[in-house]
Each structure stands twice: as C-alpha cells, then as structure tokens.
C-alpha cells in the first residue's frame, strides 16, 4: 500500500510543528484573546481563607520562584498580594531562592506601590508589610525561621534591624503567622514549606505552584495544605474570583496578566491534542500498513 | 583520620538535629548548627565558582574546540561579579547611607547588577525553558503513541487533563440535556479531571512520596550510623 | 543552499521585514523606555528641568530612576533600559534560533548565561551571607561603618561564627591534593545536618501523615436535610479508589518479594495508577511550558516591538 501523505507525515520536519506551536501561542497574544476560568475547590479555599481572616492577620508571603517560572507564578503573586492588601492583612515577604528577591520587589512595586501606597490607609513599610528578603540555606532556612526568624536573618532586605520594625514586634517565628502563602516553583518550595514549617509547627499553608510541581503537592491537599492554586489555570481562577469580588479595578484586563495568557493556553492545548491524535493516527496507519503489506 | 573525623562530624551533628527536635532545651544547639550550615554551604558555592574558572581557563589554554565560548563565559562571570561586588550604579537610599560608599541594596532597581538580572539573566533562562514548549509538542506528535495498555492509559489521561485544564472542557456539556434554569451546566470532563486529580494522581504521587520518605529515612540512618560513607568520595 | 534551507531563510527574513515594518508604525517605538528621576531619600520626582540647576553632590547621589510612560511630562528617555530591552530581545531570539538548529548565536547566549548565573549566585551569597550574616556578627562596628548603617549600635560581636567560616574554607582543601581529605569535613557537616533534619521531617510529613490521609472510610454516609443519613456513593467510590490505588502502587515499589501471582497482579494495577498519574503530570507540564512561551512572546511583541497593547 502506498500513501504519499502518510510517507510525508512520517518524515515531517519537526520545525513545522514548532511553527504551528508558535502560531498557536502568538495569534491569541496579537488578537488579545484572554480566557476566564471557573474556580476550583482548592483555589476557592485559599480565597475564602484570606477573606475569613480578620483584618490585620499576619501572612507570610514566601515567593520562591525565578524568571523561569514567573509566567505562572508572578500573576499568582500579584493576585495573592492584592487580595491580602484589600483585606488589610500584615504581609511578611520572604524568599529562599537567591533569584527570588527581585520577584518580591517587583510584586511589592506592582501592588503596594501602585495601588495601596496612598489613599486613606496607605500600606506603610515596616508597619503593614516588610520585605525579609532572601534567606540562605535552602530548606534549612525554613527550619530556621520555624524556630526563630532573627536567627535566620537579623535585618530586613533594606538592612534595618528587625527589632526596629513595628510589624515585627511579637513575631518570633513562623508560629506567629496566621497563614503561609507560598508561590512555589520547585525545590526548595511548597513541599519543603509543608515538611519543615507547616506540618511540624501546625501553621496553615496554601501553595500556588507551577503546573509541573502540582502533582507532587496533590497528596498534601487537603490535610496538610489549606489551598492549592495550580499553574496558570489556578492564577486565572484566582484573578476571576478577585475580579468578581472587587471588580473595581481588578476586573480590568490590565490588572489580569494571567487572564491574558489564558487565550494562548487554550489554543496551544488544542494544538497539543491535535498533535497527539494525529501522531496516533499515523501510528495506527503505519501498523495497518505493516500488517497488510509486511 | 581522613574518614573517621568526617563520619563522626556527620553522626554528631545529625543526631543533635534529631534529639533537639524532641528536646526543647537543645533548640539553641540545633539553631546554631542550622546557622553554621548556611555559612558552610555558602562558602562551598565559592568553590563552585573557582572550579568554573579553572575548567574554562584550562579549555582556553588548551585551545580546545569552542574555547571562544569559554572566554565569553569567563568574561560574563567576571563582569557580573565586578558589577555586583562593587555595587556599580547603586545609590544610597537614605540620609544615613549617603556617607557610606557601599550602602544601598546591591539589587537596587537601576543598578548594574539589576540590569544584568533583568536584561541578561531573566530573558535567557526563561527563553531556554520556553523552548521546551516546542519540544514537548514535537514529542507529543512523534513519541506519544498508544503502543500498549500502559501507554494508552497515559495518553488518555493526558488528553482528558489537557482538555480539562482549559474552558474547552465545556464542549462536553453540549452533548447533555440543557440544565434547569438558574443552575450551571454539568461539565462531565471537569468532574472527570477533578476525580483523576483526587484519586489516581494523589494516590500515585502519595505512593511515590511514601517510598521516597522511607528511602530518605534509611539513607539518613545509614549516614548517621557511619554505614554509608559514599558522600565522602574515594580514597585520597 | 538546498530547497528546504532556502524556504526557511525566506520565511525568517520575511517575518523580520514584516515585524520591522509593523513596529515602525507604532507610536511607542521599538523597545523605547522612559523614566522619571526620583529623590531616593524623599521619594519625590525631580523634574527634568532641575537637572542643570540642582547639581549638588548630595542631590546627585540620591537619585534613582523609576519607569514612566512616554506621555509623562517628567519622563526622560533611558539609554540603559532601552538598550537593555534590545539586548534582552536579541538574546531571546538567539535562544529561539536553536529551534532551527544549533548555531553560534545560541551558543553565545548559553555561554553568557553560564557566566552570569554563576556570578549572580556568588554576588548574592557574598552580600546576603558573608556580609549580612558573617561580617555583621564578627564585626558589627565594621558592618555598620561600611555596609549596613542601620546595624544597632549595641550589637555585640559573636566570635563563635569563626568556626563555620574556617570549616567552610576547608572546602578549598579539595583543590590541593595533599590536604584534599580535609575538604571532607565541611561536606560531612552539611550532609549530617541535612540527614538529621530530613529523617524526622520526612518521616512526619511524608510518611506518617500520608498514611494517616490514606486511612479513609470506605463507605461514607452523609447527613440529609431531614436529619437522617444516606449513602454518599461518590465519596465512597473516591475513597475506595484512593485506598486501592495507594496500596497497589506501594506493592509495585516493594521489591523484596518477586512480583508474581497475586503480588504481580496488584503491582500491575499499581503501574496503571502510576501511568494515569504521569499522564496528568505530562498535561500539567505542557501547561507550564506553554505559559512560559506565552510570556516570552508577550515580551517580544509587546515590550520590545510594541505591537500589542496589554
């Protein structure tokens, strides 16, 4: 049996696949096609917890990611921080990734600097939020701040002694936190926060993680993890909830980076499904050809 | 001596970490060990830097194939270190800091080190990871084949989750009778994705997790008892 | 040049020309970045006009630059940020060029990133650990005088800190063959600390707690509105599947017994569960990589070429 099409598909240059992937992602970007999401229970639980906590609750924002995972986690970091600021919680930013410090600074600037730095109740550094910066020692650093934050870092990211900051009064370790919110890209990240801090110290924790890491964290939910926001879908879900609850200004597209990535996601997923189906069609056709014309 | 002392160090400090977990009076000793750990591990990073320099300097001096790229690596390494350590472009942020030459955060926005992170480090590493989107698509087309039962299970789950992760999953509700007024449409694939996540994925990962935990415990015990000395390397 | 290469070259050049034409039409310009001058100590914007008149050393020392819109009356064009965007875009294209085939541009980007990332780690550890932790403890006076002016005046030196410094420096013994064995001491310290910590924490979080989470009721009854109870078949099925799946997977990982007979059949179910789990992992990995690609394309087409207004 001869089939020129099948022969062509068997020897298809992979650069055609690359080109089709580039077009599938690029077209929605150029046409500005976004996508909303229906919130899933693990995301809703984190949202509800931040809503439920009384104003002024202490939340540790652990930003353990870098530019390689910022596509999924930076929109999450923005949404989590915005939500906490809307509820006027006290925020303690920290990272155990050396490359995570610029991510914290960028988040603080985009959220607190842009939306909450002025007005009736402006967020004040040292009073309402603090940047504890980078903690060296990877997972051991989590263990350190679980017993004493000052042992891990006696000063904040600006070099100010922690004892001089009003927000740190009464805060000795992670145990004083009402919630840990972690944006996690891998090791060390959500898994280590669960193992080294949340489980032994019994502090509630919710993790926003990359799609790649999410399967590793599923077994912790719901017993050891209060909430789990997964990949760009989770980020869109959180933005959707934030937009529904606080439409002004969070329903605005410019405040929804994850939403804008959702369109490309949808088209690329369609392409992937198509490629898998086509690949298997070719496989079956080849098998048929081999059995009928050995 | 060459192996006994390190085995003793590992055993003593390891046992201290375990005992201190159950005995609060020993907490300060554990905190001290953790603190020392960060300092020792940090200094080891500098050994990594020294090794990188030696490796590339050797490649350059031997004129090995691609030695020019080694030179690029060394130059970018030296520039990054010089810019970061000298805090080039960092300005004091408070009246108190003005008097000090090296005050101000080393990653301050607008500084040389910030520039390197923002315009060299960030675009290159993130684009390298983004390349995987293309290769994953190519692999899906070429290698993701239903060759046996295991592969079929893998493939079908991947397809279900791929559909379930975007709003395209709502297409599946079109084949069902319209929902009662005021109720959201039932989306079978959304439920199926959630069921897979809650059951098979959680269970599979949990079993792996339990296995890893047992492995970690066994290896740790062997290290603390001095039975496993592989981390010390060969005889020197 | 064969037909295929000609085709891809034409496609590439055509794309470049199209992009160049499109970007010349945009108002934002290609990769143009603007900033405002801000007094770092007060946070106030310094108008561009004050540049020439206010030239005191103190004022110059405290100026930082914040990103601004081109339309901002106080905005000035930024050479460093504009060149940065261009370099970042060209490096992004260099990395993408690998999709065509391995080439010099890709190798150049690769070499740069090796050097930059190693340098980045060393600088970060130098400031964050050696200065902010070690020097601060060994000599708070010097730290306050030279690097960290906000160090409390009553901070006392902690000379015990010299021990990990010496221990850490012993790793360099590995470079000298005669005393290379001494390089094992710091390694042993690091391995011992990690082993001790992990033994307890893994046992607690990943073993005991996971087993506890798997001990589930196989038949679940839920309360009804009338005060009675009814079989919650959905939850019951879910729990049964979880328990069977975990047990079968654990059996598959149990290598002390030959996988034959009943054990073989159970472990086969374990393989199926793992395959389903890996299928989901694959789909979720795809999701992450595509998002990253989206971000890079947004950077090229929005931040650099200005073709999208997000």
């Amino acid at each position: 049996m001869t089939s020129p099409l099948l022969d062509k598909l068997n020897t298809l240059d992979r650069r055609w696949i690359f080109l089709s992937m580039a077009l599938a992602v690029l077209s929605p970007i150029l046409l500005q096609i976004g996508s909303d999401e229906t919130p899933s229970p693990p995301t809703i639980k984190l949202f509800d917890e931040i809503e439920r906590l009384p104003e002024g609750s202490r939340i540790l924002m652990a930003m353990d990611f870098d530019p390689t995972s910022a596509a999924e986690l930076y929109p999450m970091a923005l949404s989590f921080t915005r939500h906490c600021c809307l509820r006027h919680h006290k925020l303690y930013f920290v990272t155990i990734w050396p490359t995570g410090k610029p991510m914290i600074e960028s988040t603080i600037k985009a959220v607190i600097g842009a939306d909450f730095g002025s007005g009736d109740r402006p967020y004040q550094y040292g009073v309402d939020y603090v940047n504890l910066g980078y903690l060296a020692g990877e997972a051991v650093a989590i263990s350190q701040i679980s017993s004493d934050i000052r042992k891990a870092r006696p000063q904040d990211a600006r070099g100010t002694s922690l004892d001089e900051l009003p927000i740190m009064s009464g805060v000795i370790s992670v145990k004083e936190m009402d919630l840990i919110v972690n944006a996690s890209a891998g090791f060390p990240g959500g898994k280590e926060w669960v193992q080294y801090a949340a489980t032994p110290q019994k502090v509630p924790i919710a993790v926003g993680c990359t799609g790649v890491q999410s399967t590793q964290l599923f077994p912790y939910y719901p017993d050891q993890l209060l909430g789990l926001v997964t990949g760009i879908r989770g980020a869109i879900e959180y933005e959707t909830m934030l937009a529904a609850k606080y439409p002004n200004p969070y329903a605005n597209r410019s405040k929804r980076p994850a939403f804008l990535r959702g369109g490309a996601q949808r088209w690329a997923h369609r392409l992937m499904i198509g490629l898998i189906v086509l690949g298997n069609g070719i496989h079956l056709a080849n098998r048929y050809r081999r059995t009928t014309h050995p | 001596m060459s192996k006994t002392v390190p085995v003793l160090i590992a055993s003593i400090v390891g046992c201290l970490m375990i005992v201190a977990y159950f005995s609060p009076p020993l907490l300060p000793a554990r905190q001290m060990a953790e603190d020392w750990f960060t300092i020792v591990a940090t200094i080891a990073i500098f050994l990594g830097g020294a090794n990188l320099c030696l490796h590339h300097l050797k490649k350059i001096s031997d004129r090995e194939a691609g030695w020019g790229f080694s030179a690029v690596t060394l130059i970018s390494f030296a520039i990054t270190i010089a810019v970061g350590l000298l805090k080039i472009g960092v300005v004091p942020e408070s009246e108190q800091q003005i008097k000090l030459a090296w005050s101000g955060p080393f990653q301050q926005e607008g500084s040389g080190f910030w520039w390197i992170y923002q315009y060299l480090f960030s675009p290159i590493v993130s684009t390298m990871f983004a390349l995987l989107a293309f290769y994953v698509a190519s692999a899906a087309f070429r290698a993701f084949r239903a060759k046996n039962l295991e592969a079929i299970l893998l493939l079908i789950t991947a397809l279900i989750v791929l559909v379930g992760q975007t709003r395209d999953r709502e297409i599946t509700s079109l084949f069902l009778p319209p929902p009662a007024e005021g109720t959201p449409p039932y989306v079978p694939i959304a439920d199926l994705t959630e069921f897979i996540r809650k059951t098979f994925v959680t269970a599979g990962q949990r079993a792996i997790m339990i296995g890893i935990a047992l492995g970690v415990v066994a290896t740790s015990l062997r290290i603390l008892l001095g039975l496993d000395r592989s981390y010390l390397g060969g005889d020197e | 040049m064969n037909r295929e290469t000609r085709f891809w070259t034409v496609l590439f050049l055509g794309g470049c020309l199209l992009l160049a034409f499109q970007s010349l039409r945009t108002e934002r310009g290609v990769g143009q970045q603007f900033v405002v001058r801000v007094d770092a100590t007060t946070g106030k914007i310094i108008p561009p006009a004050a540049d020439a008149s206010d030239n005191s050393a103190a004022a110059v020392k405290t100026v930082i630059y914040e990103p601004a819109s081109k339309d901002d009356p106080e905005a000035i064009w930024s050479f460093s940020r504009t060149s940065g965007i261009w370099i970042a875009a060209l490096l992004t294209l260099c990395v993408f060029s690998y999709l065509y085939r391995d080439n010099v541009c890709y190798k150049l980007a690769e070499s740069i990133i090796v050097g930059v990332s190693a340098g980045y780690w060393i600088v970060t550890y130098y400031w964050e650990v050696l200065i902010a932790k070690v020097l601060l403890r060994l000599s708070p006076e010097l730290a306050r005088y030279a690097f960290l002016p906000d160090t409390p005046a009553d901070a006392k030196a902690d000379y015990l800190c010299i021990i990990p410094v010496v221990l850490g420096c012993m790793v360099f013994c590995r470079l000298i063959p005669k005393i290379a064995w001494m390089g094992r001491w710091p390694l042993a310290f690091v391995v011992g600390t990690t082993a001790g910590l992990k033994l307890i924490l893994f046992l607690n979080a990943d073993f005991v707690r996971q087993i506890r989470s798997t001990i589930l009721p196989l038949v679940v009854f839920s309360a009804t509105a009338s005060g009675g109870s009814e079989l919650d078949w959905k939850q019951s099925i879910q729990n049964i599947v979880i328990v069977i799946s975990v047990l079968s997977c654990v059996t598959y990982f149990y290598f002390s017994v030959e996988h034959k007979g009943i054990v073989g059949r159970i472990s086969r179910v374990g393989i199926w569960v793992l395959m389903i789990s890996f299928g989901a992992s694959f789909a979720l990995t795809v999701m992450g990589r595509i998002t990253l690609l989206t971000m890079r394309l947004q950077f090229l087409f929005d931040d650099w070429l200005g073709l999208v207004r997000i």
Side-chain angles (χ1 to χ4, degrees):
Chain A
M1 187 183 79
T2 55
S3 167
L5 179 66
L6 188 61
D7 292 335
K8 207 161 200 169
L9 286 172
N10 272 325
T11 54
L12 184 73
D13 190 330
R14 65 179 179 177
R15 283 173 289 198
W16 286 109
I17 297 169
F18 295 166
L19 188 66
S20 55
M21 177 54 89
L23 289 174
V25 175
L26 186 59
S27 314
I29 293 175
L30 292 175
L31 299 171
Q32 297 186 62
I33 300 168
S35 181
D36 253 324
E37 266 299 343
T38 318
S40 60
T43 311
I44 295 171
K45 280 188 87 174
L46 171 60
F47 190 89
D48 289 348
E49 180 66 9
I50 292 178
E51 282 287 313
R52 188 196 64 78
L53 284 171
E55 195 175 282
S57 296
R58 292 172 178 145
I59 300 185
L60 186 83
M61 306 290 280
M63 304 285 174
D64 304 325
F65 64 100
D66 66 353
T68 61
S69 44
E72 291 171 282
L73 298 178
Y74 185 61
M76 271 188 215
L78 293 178
S79 295
F80 297 159
T81 311
R82 275 181 187 135
H83 194 194
C84 291
C85 289
L86 286 163
R87 299 286 304 138
H88 222 91
H89 295 313
K90 287 183 175 168
L91 302 177
Y92 301 76
F93 291 92
V94 73
T95 180
I96 43 172
W97 281 45
T99 41
K101 211 172 147 189
M103 296 294 156
I104 294 181
E105 273 151 21
S106 181
T107 307
I108 289 175
K109 203 169 176 184
V111 177
I112 299 175
D115 298 347
F116 297 93
S118 54
D120 297 340
R121 296 176 64 191
Y123 254 71
Q124 288 182 332
Y125 187 81
V127 179
D128 300 298
Y129 74 102
V130 63
N131 180 2
L132 297 171
Y134 165 62
L135 302 180
E138 297 195 332
V140 175
I142 303 174
S143 178
Q144 272 187 302
I145 67 165
S146 296
S147 58
D148 192 345
I149 292 176
R150 285 162 185 82
K151 293 275 179 203
R153 203 181 164 102
Q155 69 287 99
D156 69 353
R158 298 178 179 185
T160 311
S161 169
L162 295 187
D163 296 323
E164 287 175 21
L165 299 169
I167 193 172
M168 293 305 293
S169 79
V171 176
I172 295 164
S173 69
V174 164
K175 276 176 260 180
E176 278 70 53
M177 297 294 150
D178 296 299
L179 177 67
I180 300 170
V181 176
N182 176 222
S184 161
F187 176 84
K191 195 173 167 67
E192 286 67 36
W193 279 100
V194 172
Q195 289 174 329
Y196 287 71
T199 304
Q201 306 299 340
K202 298 182 178 66
V203 183
I205 181 172
V207 177
C209 65
T210 55
V212 181
Q213 205 201 0
S214 59
T215 48
Q216 284 178 23
L217 295 169
F218 284 152
Y220 293 125
Y221 177 81
D223 292 344
Q224 288 156 277
L225 272 181
L226 185 133
L228 182 61
V229 185
T230 305
I232 195 68
R233 182 190 168 183
I236 303 171
E237 287 174 4
Y238 210 93
E239 277 183 359
T240 307
M241 282 191 286
L242 209 56
K245 180 94 185 178
Y246 306 97
N248 190 21
Y250 299 111
N252 191 330
R253 275 176 164 235
S254 64
K255 299 276 183 192
R256 304 191 59 191
F259 168 83
L260 289 163
R261 284 173 193 162
Q265 194 71 32
R266 207 163 164 174
W267 278 95
H269 274 216
R270 284 174 186 166
L271 175 70
M272 286 294 296
I273 293 163
L275 286 172
I276 293 172
V277 172
L278 182 64
N280 279 283
I282 295 167
H283 170 66
L284 292 175
N286 282 333
R287 240 166 72 167
Y288 175 73
R289 186 153 72 170
R290 272 199 301 273
T291 48
T292 52
H293 299 86
Chain B
M1 176 79 171
S2 71
K3 282 202 173 178
T4 315
V5 176
V7 167
L8 271 176
I9 292 175
S11 299
I12 293 167
V13 76
C15 291
L16 170 75
M17 302 306 279
I18 296 168
V19 177
Y21 187 82
F22 300 102
S23 163
L26 283 174
L27 183 65
R30 181 183 142 186
Q31 286 173 334
M32 193 168 72
E34 286 171 345
D35 194 35
W36 288 12
F37 171 93
T38 58
I39 295 169
V40 173
T42 296
I43 297 172
I45 295 283
F46 288 83
L47 176 70
N51 269 331
L52 180 93
C53 286
L54 290 175
H55 173 75
H56 286 285
L57 280 172
K58 192 174 178 304
K59 270 184 102 171
I60 294 169
S61 71
D62 294 351
R63 290 284 194 277
E64 273 183 39
W67 66 270
F69 293 113
S70 289
V72 172
T73 299
L74 281 181
I75 292 167
S76 50
F77 179 65
I79 291 174
T80 309
I81 288 189
V83 168
L85 296 189
L86 299 174
K87 286 193 176 176
I88 290 171
V90 173
V91 293
E93 283 187 351
S94 66
E95 291 291 343
Q96 208 183 351
Q97 291 181 352
I98 290 174
K99 293 168 266 173
L100 305 179
W102 271 311
S103 63
F106 71 100
Q107 278 177 316
Q108 186 183 64
E109 184 173 339
S111 67
F113 197 64
W114 171 85
W115 193 94
I116 288 174
Y117 178 88
Q118 201 71 18
Y119 300 120
L120 293 181
F121 180 80
S122 178
I124 301 179
V125 291
S126 50
T127 312
M128 278 182 168
F129 275 80
L131 283 184
L132 294 174
F134 295 102
Y135 289 105
V136 106
S138 177
F141 177 68
R142 287 171 188 280
F144 219 31
R145 304 272 159 100
K147 286 179 179 165
N148 51 39
L149 180 62
E150 284 80 10
I152 291 169
L153 284 172
L154 190 101
L155 197 113
I156 290 173
T157 316
L159 284 174
I160 290 169
V161 178
L162 275 170
V163 177
Q165 286 301 314
T166 67
R167 290 198 74 170
D168 284 343
R169 61 181 172 270
E170 286 166 10
I171 294 167
T172 51
S173 61
L174 297 176
F175 304 104
L176 299 171
E181 210 167 300
T183 56
Y186 174 63
V187 186
I189 211 150
D191 272 18
L192 189 59
T193 310
E194 192 61 10
F195 180 76
I196 290 171
R197 185 192 69 75
K198 278 183 181 169
T199 54
F200 297 113
V201 180
T202 298
Q205 294 298 323
R206 184 168 285 163
I208 294 173
M209 203 178 254
I210 290 170
I212 292 174
L214 284 172
V216 166
V217 171
T219 311
S220 299
L221 267 178
R222 284 173 59 81
I223 288 170
L224 301 188
L225 296 172
L227 298 172
D228 187 345
R229 300 175 180 204
S230 56
Y231 63 94
L232 297 173
D235 286 324
E236 279 160 8
Chain C
M1 196 186 271
N2 63 25
R3 190 166 154 263
E4 187 204 20
T5 314
R6 238 186 350 252
F7 172 78
W8 285 103
T9 311
V10 168
L11 194 74
F12 178 72
L13 290 175
C16 289
L17 282 173
L18 187 75
L19 292 176
F21 173 70
Q22 278 289 341
S23 29
L24 285 174
R25 293 192 327 167
T26 58
E27 282 178 23
R28 290 158 67 188
V30 183
Q32 302 302 305
Q33 297 293 303
F34 294 84
V35 288
V36 286
R37 286 155 54 90
V38 178
D39 187 330
T41 54
T42 60
K44 285 182 183 157
I45 293 174
I46 305 166
D51 203 17
S53 56
D54 188 11
N55 215 4
S56 69
V60 171
K61 262 188 182 175
T62 58
V63 170
I64 54 170
Y65 296 88
E66 295 280 353
S69 155
K70 188 184 179 181
D71 308 327
D72 195 327
E74 273 138 358
I76 51 171
W77 182 73
S78 168
F79 170 74
S80 71
R81 289 179 197 235
T82 303
S83 62
I85 290 279
W86 271 86
I87 290 170
L90 294 176
L91 286 170
T92 302
L93 292 175
C94 283
V95 177
F96 276 141
S97 71
Y98 186 76
L99 293 170
Y100 183 65
R101 67 165 62 111
D102 198 4
N103 61 74
V104 177
C105 294
Y106 176 78
K107 282 205 175 92
L108 184 75
E110 195 182 45
S111 309
I112 291 172
I113 199 60
V114 172
V116 167
S117 33
Y120 181 89
W121 279 63
I122 285 181
V123 170
T124 304
Y125 280 113
Y126 173 80
W127 288 111
E128 298 284 4
V129 182
L130 293 191
I131 297 296
K133 221 167 182 176
V134 178
L135 182 73
L136 188 74
R137 285 203 208 144
L138 290 178
S139 177
E141 280 294 314
L142 179 64
R144 185 168 51 247
Y145 175 74
F147 306 103
L148 300 161
D150 296 325
T151 306
D154 57 349
K156 289 200 170 61
D158 171 16
Y159 295 111
L160 261 184
C161 191
I162 202 83
I163 299 172
V165 174
V166 172
L167 195 63
C169 289
M170 282 166 73
V171 291
F172 289 97
C173 294
R174 296 182 83 86
L175 299 175
I176 308 161
K178 268 193 175 174
I179 51 166
W181 58 272
M182 283 172 72
R184 291 169 176 166
W185 295 18
L187 186 69
F189 184 83
V190 169
V191 170
T193 314
T194 317
L197 257 181
K198 284 196 167 179
L199 194 142
I200 297 294
L201 298 171
F202 267 75
L203 208 56
N204 183 12
D206 284 13
F207 187 72
V208 177
R209 292 296 296 266
Q210 290 306 313
I211 291 172
R212 195 188 289 172
S213 300
T214 314
I215 301 171
L216 298 163
L218 300 181
V219 183
V220 182
F221 289 93
S222 56
T224 56
S226 59
S229 66
E230 63 176 9
L231 176 72
D232 186 343
W233 61 270
K234 241 180 159 178
Q235 191 62 47
S236 302
I237 291 175
Q238 192 179 301
N239 289 359
I240 291 168
V241 173
I242 289 179
V243 173
I244 292 174
S245 301
V246 172
L247 289 176
S248 56
C249 287
V250 169
T251 309
Y252 170 67
F253 288 125
Y254 186 64
F255 301 116
S256 301
V257 172
E258 206 176 340
H259 288 190
K260 274 182 178 174
I262 184 78
V263 177
R265 279 197 285 276
I266 294 172
S267 67
R268 188 147 172 79
V269 175
I271 296 173
W272 296 341
V273 172
L274 287 171
M275 285 300 147
I276 294 173
S277 177
F278 296 150
S281 294
F282 172 81
L284 291 163
T285 305
V286 167
M287 182 170 82
R289 298 301 171 228
I290 290 169
T291 316
L292 198 50
L293 176 63
T294 311
M295 185 182 83
R296 290 322 297 159
L297 293 182
Q298 278 178 337
F299 166 77
L300 286 178
F301 287 85
D302 181 32
D303 298 346
W304 182 44
L305 295 172
L307 293 174
V308 192
R309 173 56 78 186
I310 293 172

